[in-house]
Amino acid sequence: MNSIAENTLYIYLIVFLSMLVFDVVSILYRKVTDKNTELLTKKIEEQIANKKPEDISSDDIKRLAKNLKKIGYFIAFTSAIDNMPEDRRKKYLTKIKSVFREILPHYQKEEIIRQTYFIHFLAQYPYLYEENMDHVLSYIIQCTTKDSVYLRENALNTLYSIGKTSYIKEAFFQMNYLNIKHHHKLITDGLMKYRGDTKELANMLIEELKNYDEDYKVACINFFGYKKIDCKEFIYKILTSPIEHKEVKIACIRYFSNVHYEPVIETLYELLSDDKNNWEYSAIAAMTLKKYPEKKTLEVLKRAVRSHNWYVRANAAASLIELTKEEKRKDLIQSIDDLYAKEALSYQSHLLGGDV
């Protein structure tokens, strides 16, 4: 028994020491690698500084292309570019941009993480795509349909930074056609970073929305709301459509929190009153109605604050308290005869600093 216990102890000790050695070696390796990258970065900076952009020859570009196929060199090159003043950086990258066409076939065959790094670099400098970069652009659009969410997201960010509507149209068309799932929040965040003409982008998305699946529709409608794009009648038709997806309709309700539209008020009242069948609609409608401070809105919210659904009750209470003047909130709470409604209103009043 002692022998078994001792052997087990030795095995654990060996495993522990092995892990310790691995950690120490990994730390030393990272330090050496970081130091080597730092030295290589300085060397590249000196090479760039010693030659004016107009003096860069085709041989220089071939040599650079050969080096950039090595990921370690590419990482150091990225650091050197980041450290350059913007005016010098643009002149230099514009002069050598053909190098990215040269190394494209190499990175197309590389593992996903290296492809992602290549795409991520390109996303930083949209002026590289002004002309003669069709092959690179085709590759970037192709990357939006890959299985890797990291590669897809970096490819999309590159297209957003370029700021041309036609590229977004093509990418979204292919992603929807191939049923590529990409989370709507990522798409919305990306659209918010679009560097081109926002109105032109919005018009294209409105025109194409019927061809998109649920996630892309939600993303676009959220984008319209955040940017306050005036497409009220279009969004209202989607909201009142009997065949549209629930999440899409919820996005439509949220849109009207940011973009005022009088005809939607009665629809919001109806959605709020139907909390037993469609409580999700009711909960979002309750929050949206605080943007429509009419007398009937207060009456509808007072009924909704008695809802059996916690989310509807909480949202209705939040809107009702916000629409009530501070000095009248206590009277409002005392006038409610429902215990749960009182608690919801008291809590929301407390959040706004009220003394209840």
Side-chain angles (χ1 to χ4, degrees):
M1 291 296 291
N2 288 339
S3 178
I4 295 175
E6 287 176 1
N7 288 338
T8 304
L9 181 61
Y10 284 138
I11 291 171
Y12 276 117
L13 184 59
I14 291 169
V15 171
F16 171 76
L17 290 174
S18 299
M19 292 175 64
L20 181 62
V21 170
F22 176 79
D23 289 341
V24 170
V25 170
S26 297
I27 291 169
L28 291 173
Y29 176 77
R30 282 198 297 270
K31 285 186 176 181
V32 171
T33 303
D34 291 345
K35 188 65 177 178
N36 289 340
T37 300
E38 186 180 335
L39 292 172
L40 184 54
T41 298
K42 289 181 179 179
K43 182 179 178 181
I44 294 171
E45 287 176 344
E46 290 173 1
Q47 291 173 348
I48 294 174
N50 290 335
K51 182 167 284 192
K52 295 179 180 179
E54 56 267 25
D55 295 332
I56 296 174
S57 66
S58 58
D59 288 338
D60 292 326
I61 290 178
K62 287 181 182 178
R63 194 177 305 110
L64 178 61
K66 182 179 179 181
N67 287 328
L68 285 175
K69 290 177 183 178
K70 296 175 284 190
I71 192 63
Y73 189 94
F74 201 161
I75 291 171
F77 176 80
T78 300
S79 297
I81 294 299
D82 288 343
N83 294 336
M84 293 175 68
E86 175 58 31
D87 56 339
R88 287 187 58 238
R89 181 194 299 136
K90 185 171 183 178
K91 289 178 182 178
Y92 175 72
L93 287 177
T94 302
K95 179 66 179 180
I96 65 144
K97 70 178 184 178
S98 62
V99 78
F100 301 110
R101 291 200 305 269
E102 295 274 338
I103 66 176
L104 173 61
H106 170 78
Y107 278 98
Q108 280 180 297
K109 299 173 185 176
E110 284 289 287
E111 59 191 50
I112 289 296
I113 192 168
R114 296 191 177 189
Q115 289 190 56
T116 302
Y117 191 87
F118 177 62
I119 292 290
H120 178 74
F121 176 84
L122 296 177
Q124 313 305 309
Y125 310 108
Y127 47 76
L128 293 175
Y129 307 93
E130 290 176 357
E131 56 184 18
N132 301 324
M133 294 292 278
D134 290 346
H135 291 302
V136 178
L137 281 167
S138 295
Y139 165 66
I140 293 169
I141 292 174
Q142 180 187 354
C143 285
T144 64
T145 63
K146 299 295 184 181
D147 290 336
S148 169
V149 67
Y150 303 107
L151 183 56
R152 250 193 345 258
E153 181 65 6
N154 276 278
L156 285 169
N157 282 330
T158 305
L159 298 178
Y160 299 138
S161 70
I162 295 170
K164 288 193 176 180
T165 301
S166 58
Y167 299 153
I168 306 298
K169 181 178 180 180
E170 176 66 17
F172 280 13
F173 172 80
Q174 290 195 25
M175 292 171 78
N176 276 271
Y177 181 76
L178 296 172
N179 197 29
I180 301 297
K181 298 300 180 184
H182 203 68
H183 199 280
H184 64 83
K185 289 185 178 179
L186 290 175
I187 298 172
T188 301
D189 289 345
L191 291 172
M192 293 295 290
K193 295 183 287 188
Y194 182 74
R195 294 184 181 178
D197 187 326
T198 300
K199 186 175 181 180
E200 181 183 344
L201 174 66
N203 289 338
M204 181 277 291
L205 294 174
I206 290 169
E207 185 178 338
E208 294 292 317
L209 203 71
K210 61 183 178 294
N211 301 318
Y212 294 164
D213 76 5
E214 181 180 350
D215 277 338
Y216 293 84
K217 285 182 179 180
V218 170
C220 292
I221 293 168
N222 287 340
F223 167 69
F224 299 153
Y226 295 148
K227 285 291 187 178
K228 293 182 169 55
I229 302 296
D230 188 357
C231 52
K232 300 185 286 286
E233 293 83 1
F234 175 73
I235 300 298
Y236 185 65
K237 286 181 181 179
I238 298 174
L239 174 60
T240 54
S241 168
I243 60 173
E244 194 53 82
H245 293 284
K246 178 176 288 186
E247 290 300 322
V248 177
K249 288 192 173 188
I250 288 173
C252 290
I253 299 171
R254 287 197 180 100
Y255 168 86
F256 290 113
S257 289
N258 297 302
V259 180
H260 196 86
Y261 187 53
E262 288 292 328
V264 81
I265 299 177
E266 289 297 329
T267 301
L268 294 176
Y269 292 159
E270 292 173 10
L271 292 172
L272 182 54
S273 64
D274 192 22
D275 60 324
K276 291 182 180 179
N277 297 316
N278 292 294
W279 70 264
E280 295 100 327
Y281 294 156
S282 300
I284 305 302
M287 288 299 292
T288 300
L289 278 169
K290 67 183 177 184
K291 299 295 184 178
Y292 299 86
E294 299 186 1
K295 183 178 179 181
K296 187 175 179 180
T297 297
L298 296 174
E299 295 172 358
V300 171
L301 288 172
K302 283 180 181 179
R303 289 197 296 271
V305 83
R306 295 177 169 84
S307 172
H308 292 289
N309 184 282
W310 186 91
Y311 297 99
V312 176
R313 190 166 63 247
N315 288 356
S319 292
L320 192 54
I321 286 294
E322 192 166 327
L323 290 174
T324 303
K325 292 181 180 179
E326 186 175 354
E327 62 272 14
K328 293 185 178 180
R329 288 172 185 167
K330 185 175 290 187
D331 293 337
L332 168 66
I333 296 169
Q334 291 176 350
S335 68
I336 301 294
D337 56 3
D338 183 287
L339 177 61
Y340 295 111
K342 275 182 181 290
E343 288 181 351
L345 290 166
S346 297
Y347 177 68
Q348 293 299 329
S349 180
H350 174 71
L351 290 180
L352 294 177
D355 182 15
V356 293

